[in-house]
């Protein structure tokens, strides 16, 4: 039973990680994602700021914004 509990714990832990949302500037040139929608890195975005899944942002080749490291 102990092993099963650990498995369930890990399963839910992973599920949580995958649903983490980040903010990006919806521009074809944006290469960064942001944890905070009020981040100064998004301040000069002339496109719409949208919320997407962090895994999708990484797959698109985006990296965490320099202001938030
Ligand atoms: Zn940022």
């Amino acid at each position: 039973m102990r092993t099963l509990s650990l498995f369930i714990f890990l399963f839910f832990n992973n599920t949580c990680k995958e649903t983490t949302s980040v903010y990006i500037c919806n521009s074809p040139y944006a290469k960064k994602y942001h944890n905070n929608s009020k981040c100064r890195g998004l301040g000069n975005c002339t496109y719409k700021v949208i919320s997407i899944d962090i895994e999708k942002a990484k797959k698109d080749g985006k990296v965490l914004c320099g202001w938030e490291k």
Side-chain angles (χ1 to χ4, degrees):
M1 275 324 267
R2 193 170 284 245
T3 312
L4 182 64
S5 301
L6 183 66
F7 174 77
I8 290 169
F9 171 77
L10 289 173
F11 177 78
F12 279 107
N13 216 24
N14 281 338
T15 306
C16 277
K17 268 183 200 162
E18 282 170 19
T19 54
T20 302
S21 289
V22 293
Y23 299 92
I24 61 160
C25 181
N26 194 22
S27 151
Y29 308 108
K31 291 279 182 282
K32 305 285 171 75
Y33 65 83
H34 309 262
N35 292 320
N36 187 345
S37 63
K38 302 269 190 291
C39 174
R40 60 194 291 189
L42 284 166
N44 41 19
C45 174
T46 52
Y47 291 76
K48 201 175 175 189
V49 174
I50 58 166
S51 167
I52 65 164
D53 191 276
I54 189 168
E55 295 301 321
K56 188 184 185 318
K58 286 178 178 173
K59 270 180 201 146
D60 288 349
K62 298 192 194 310
V63 294
L64 180 63
C65 141
W67 298 110
E68 295 171 47
K69 272 173 186 169

